[in-house]
Amino acid sequence: MSETTFHGHPPRKPALVDAAALRSALRDSFLKLSPRHLLRSPVMAIVMAGTLLSAVITAAGVAAPGFGWSVTVILFVTVLFGNFAEAIAEARGRGQASSLRRARKDLVARKQGANGAETSVPAADLRPGDTVIVSAGDQIPADGEIVQGLATINESAVTGESAPVLREAGTDRSGVIGGTKVLSDEIVVRITAEPGHSFLDRMIALVEGANRQKTPNEIALTMLLAAMTLTFLIVVATLPAIGAFVGVQVAPLLLIALLVCLIPTTIGGLLPAIGIAGMNRALSANVLAKSGKAVEVAGDVDVLLLDKTGTITHGDRQATVFHPLAGVDASQLREAALLASLADPTPEGKSIVRLAREQGCTAPEPDRAHYLQFTAQTRMSGVDLESGRSIRKGAGDAIKRHVEALGSLVSNELTARVEQVARSGATPLVVSEGKHVLGVVELSDVVKHGVKEKFARLRAMGVRTVMITGDNPLTAAAIAAEAGVDDYIAEATPEDKLARIRSEQAKGSLVAMVGDGTNDAPALAQADVGLAMNSGTQAAKEAGNMVDLDSDPAKLLAVVEVGKQQLITRGALTTFSLANDVSKYFAILPALFAAAIPQMAALNVMHLSSPANAVLAALIFNALIIPALIPLALRGVRFKPASATALLRRNMLMYGVGGVLLPFVAIKLIDLALAATIGA
């Protein structure tokens, strides 16, 4: 199975909770009653304080025992349900980490000394810079990069995907993870992680929520809830004085019930669960978010920078045609292209050698030769033979500058040939020997199926897409038009990527990009969302704030949807929480004042059976709605691409209006049940 399949793996959908997670969450619900934990949520802290005060009032005989202890129990259960929402989210994270922990077991490494001698050492003793030998059937002892060889590796312990992947030294797919298993060949790995700080260790801590930090939006919402809670606390505290002024005495227990129904307990109880669940949903898509902030920012992204190769196209460009210039024999072009590609480890280089051999080129590999590797700066590679022959292949403008520096002029025929290949959507690779240009190698690539629809989906969300490619402008324009991107950068260097990101950020945009090589690290670090490939270099994974375990560059599109779902879920549940408080007022306020102020009876629009039942019904609904919304908080609100205005309208209609109407129905039904029970 290809690692760069556009659709990736279907997101794993584990059961919402299993029996073990449920038991763990129930236990943690009581452990989270500690004052230190409750004070992190001002809303739940006030409810717990109300619970204790209600118990004292009832025990002192100030309130009727039956009513007083009922209120106390309901308030206590409300706190437990709030704790349970957070605990169940954390338990799901621990469940997702269990398979990862099984991969982190005691391993023995074959450490390679300076003289090449092997010694067996515990994996825990390895330090960055050590080199180890890993053969077929062995597990990789620690995170590192392959410095010699290539191998197929089973990464199912990390990714959940059973299909083996190829890792090779000297490429952007040289990174390996401790705990994964080598299936074939033998590799030499240079260790890059300290013990206890490996990728797997950090991943386990993150998915368990141990290192979770509140996101900026979550912090802002927490402060808003704290301010609302303080405001309502002041209002309720002043009610007895106001009531005394008009001759109304308000029972302390009813004041507590009013306060709990006024403050936004629903979102207060669900807020931590929403944050944890956002990171878990990202992991379900096989994306490791290093922080909740990364997931949240992904939902606000305005611009996506995507590499063409492997993201928009299938990536393995293949040599399909040799185009010799006038006066150049086709065999001469084939031989030069083959010699320049013998040391080229890329799929393109290997395809040139294969095509040349298939067309009859029998040139042997030279005994002594100096090979020049491709770099993003020179944008060409080649070979210098002992006989004095100097062969280069690369982008048209790079080869043009090269031969012009040697005192030669480039013919118009080359320009026309390059444009012809580029217009067809293929990539022209120019070959020269000495100061003479021999011709063009046509490299064909294919846009992935469905990619145009994906970009249309992003456009509907208000996200602009920018394709980055090293191809010439004609090829880039042809691919961009076929793929449906909004803009493109042709003949791009790493500096160009960084400059474009900074330019977009200077305009106030949030930028996301994907990368896997060391040369991508600066841009990944600069971007607001940097998605690094798990198969990439350690530098790229350290620079990014997300890691795609599937190493699918197109996963960035899914990351944006996960982030937007996170924001929409929090917004929808906040809207619902604030809206259903309105209905609870109509249950509590008549119960407080109807006896002393008959005009207040007009507010009893639900015609509840008695003031006591009205208070109990409102409190019971207030408690039950928290666990009822836990599945929605964990799974997230269903997301459809739309503008911000359309999403706001939908949320206000569904969760705003629905949040007002549902409590009317539920509180009335609870009141009927209470009346029937008490009557019995």
Side-chain angles (χ1 to χ4, degrees):
M1 180 174 180
S2 170
E3 287 189 311
T4 54
T5 301
F6 180 75
H7 295 288
H9 312 299
R12 293 195 296 268
K13 294 182 179 179
L16 191 61
V17 287
D18 55 23
L22 186 61
R23 288 193 298 270
S24 174
L26 288 172
R27 182 186 67 249
D28 290 348
S29 298
F30 287 90
L31 297 177
K32 291 178 182 292
L33 291 172
S34 67
R36 183 177 180 181
H37 180 271
L38 286 174
L39 287 174
R40 296 177 188 173
S41 172
V43 176
M44 286 296 113
I46 290 293
V47 178
M48 189 62 196
T51 304
L52 297 176
L53 186 56
S54 175
V56 171
I57 291 172
T58 305
V62 177
F67 179 69
W69 289 119
S70 297
V71 170
T72 303
V73 170
I74 294 170
L75 294 181
F76 181 67
V77 170
T78 303
V79 178
L80 284 181
F81 282 157
N83 290 346
F84 180 75
E86 181 178 5
I88 202 69
E90 291 174 347
R92 291 186 82 217
R94 287 194 294 270
Q96 288 178 307
S98 61
S99 62
L100 304 176
R101 187 177 286 104
R102 286 194 292 270
R104 188 188 61 181
K105 58 185 180 182
D106 294 333
L107 299 173
V108 176
R110 295 160 54 195
K111 183 178 177 181
Q112 190 176 48
N115 58 357
E118 291 183 28
T119 56
S120 295
V121 299
D125 293 343
L126 295 173
R127 294 293 181 272
D130 291 344
T131 57
V132 296
I133 300 171
V134 190
S135 301
D138 295 339
Q139 284 189 301
I140 296 169
D143 292 3
E145 292 189 25
I146 302 175
V147 294
Q148 182 180 325
L150 78 164
T152 53
I153 297 176
N154 179 0
E155 295 186 342
S156 59
V158 175
T159 67
E161 171 56 49
S162 59
V165 296
L166 182 67
R167 299 285 177 260
E168 185 174 0
T171 69
D172 286 341
R173 295 183 176 273
S174 61
V176 292
I177 299 174
T180 56
K181 187 175 183 179
V182 174
L183 300 180
S184 70
D185 304 288
E186 184 175 88
I187 52 176
V188 178
V189 177
R190 183 177 64 246
I191 304 302
T192 58
E194 292 278 359
H197 297 278
S198 69
F199 182 81
L200 216 55
D201 289 315
R202 295 198 308 271
M203 188 172 174
I204 290 170
L206 285 165
V207 300
E208 287 183 332
N211 292 351
R212 193 184 85 86
Q213 297 177 341
K214 288 186 177 181
T215 64
N217 281 350
E218 191 176 346
I219 292 172
L221 183 55
T222 301
M223 293 177 65
L224 174 63
L225 297 181
M228 292 177 64
T229 301
L230 180 61
T231 301
F232 287 130
L233 185 61
I234 294 172
V235 169
V236 171
T238 58
L239 272 181
I242 297 173
F245 183 74
V246 295
V248 176
Q249 185 175 1
V250 184
L253 209 58
L254 293 181
L255 287 174
I256 295 172
L258 175 63
L259 176 62
V260 171
C261 287
L262 281 172
I263 61 178
T265 50
T266 305
I267 188 62
L270 293 173
L271 191 57
I274 295 169
I276 296 170
M279 295 180 67
N280 289 345
R281 279 196 297 274
L283 186 62
S284 295
N286 262 3
V287 174
L288 173 63
K290 294 184 179 180
S291 69
K293 180 181 178 181
V295 177
E296 188 171 276
V297 171
D300 283 330
V301 160
D302 304 299
V303 181
L304 284 184
L305 268 62
L306 305 110
D307 280 321
K308 183 201 77 172
T309 305
T311 306
I312 295 172
T313 64
H314 283 287
D316 291 343
R317 296 177 298 180
Q318 302 293 307
T320 52
V321 184
F322 292 109
H323 298 283
L325 297 186
V328 178
D329 189 84
S331 62
Q332 183 183 358
L333 173 59
R334 284 195 296 267
E335 182 190 33
L338 181 145
L339 291 172
S341 304
L342 285 172
D344 187 345
T346 65
E348 292 88 347
K350 293 175 181 177
S351 74
I352 291 173
V353 173
R354 182 169 59 252
L355 181 64
R357 296 290 190 202
E358 289 173 354
Q359 294 187 1
C361 182
T362 58
E365 185 172 348
D367 294 329
R368 294 182 181 179
H370 175 63
Y371 290 98
L372 283 77
Q373 298 299 320
F374 177 89
T375 67
Q377 285 71 32
T378 63
R379 299 176 58 243
M380 64 179 181
S381 60
V383 61
D384 292 329
L385 302 178
E386 189 178 27
S387 61
R389 296 176 66 185
S390 178
I391 304 172
R392 298 290 184 269
K393 65 180 175 72
D397 61 322
I399 297 296
K400 179 181 178 181
R401 287 193 298 269
H402 172 69
V403 298
E404 286 178 347
L406 297 176
S408 179
L409 294 176
V410 175
S411 67
N412 292 332
E413 182 190 359
L414 175 65
T415 304
R417 180 67 72 179
V418 167
E419 290 183 358
Q420 176 191 352
V421 173
R423 283 198 186 96
S424 69
T427 301
L429 194 67
V430 180
V431 180
S432 69
E433 182 169 344
K435 61 181 182 180
H436 301 293
V437 177
L438 302 180
V440 178
V441 181
E442 183 174 333
L443 300 175
S444 299
D445 202 354
V446 180
V447 171
K448 292 179 177 179
H449 177 70
V451 72
K452 194 165 188 174
E453 290 74 15
K454 285 278 187 179
F455 291 142
R457 185 178 174 92
L458 287 169
R459 195 173 297 110
M461 291 186 254
V463 179
R464 286 188 295 117
T465 51
V466 180
M467 182 184 77
I468 304 172
T469 177
D471 292 339
N472 65 71
L474 285 173
T475 302
I479 296 293
E482 185 179 354
V485 294
D486 298 306
D487 196 4
Y488 64 90
I489 307 173
E491 299 177 346
T493 64
E495 291 77 14
D496 292 333
K497 296 180 185 179
L498 193 58
R500 181 59 180 261
I501 292 172
R502 288 174 173 166
S503 172
E504 295 287 354
Q505 289 172 331
K507 299 174 186 175
S509 298
L510 292 178
V511 183
M513 80 155 286
V514 62
D516 57 4
T518 301
N519 62 355
D520 290 323
L524 286 169
Q526 180 68 38
D528 299 286
V529 176
L531 180 66
M533 299 295 98
N534 179 36
S535 61
T537 62
Q538 190 68 21
K541 287 190 281 189
E542 291 293 339
N545 51 18
M546 287 186 172
V547 178
D548 176 23
L549 304 178
D550 291 329
S551 298
D552 176 5
K555 188 66 69 66
L556 190 58
L557 309 180
V559 166
V560 172
E561 294 195 356
V562 170
K564 286 193 177 294
Q565 187 183 40
Q566 166 83 344
L567 293 174
I568 291 169
T569 299
R570 186 184 293 125
L573 292 181
T574 300
T575 301
F576 181 86
S577 176
L578 298 179
N580 68 37
D581 286 343
V582 175
S583 305
K584 288 180 283 184
Y585 304 158
F586 283 94
I588 294 289
L589 289 177
L592 283 173
F593 300 110
I597 307 176
Q599 292 83 354
M600 292 288 289
L603 294 177
N604 187 15
V605 294
M606 288 182 274
H607 302 290
L608 302 178
S609 57
S610 70
N613 283 355
V615 171
L616 291 177
L619 289 178
I620 290 171
F621 172 80
N622 193 62
L624 293 179
I625 198 63
I626 295 176
L629 291 175
I630 288 177
L632 186 62
L634 296 182
R635 289 182 175 142
V637 172
R638 188 176 179 184
F639 170 70
K640 291 182 179 180
S643 65
T645 303
L647 289 173
L648 178 61
R649 188 184 302 115
R650 174 177 175 267
N651 280 350
M652 290 301 295
L653 180 63
M654 181 176 296
Y655 296 98
V657 176
V660 172
L661 297 180
L662 176 63
F664 276 101
V665 177
I667 290 173
K668 179 61 177 178
L669 292 175
I670 295 171
D671 175 70
L672 291 174
L674 289 173
T677 302
I678 293 172

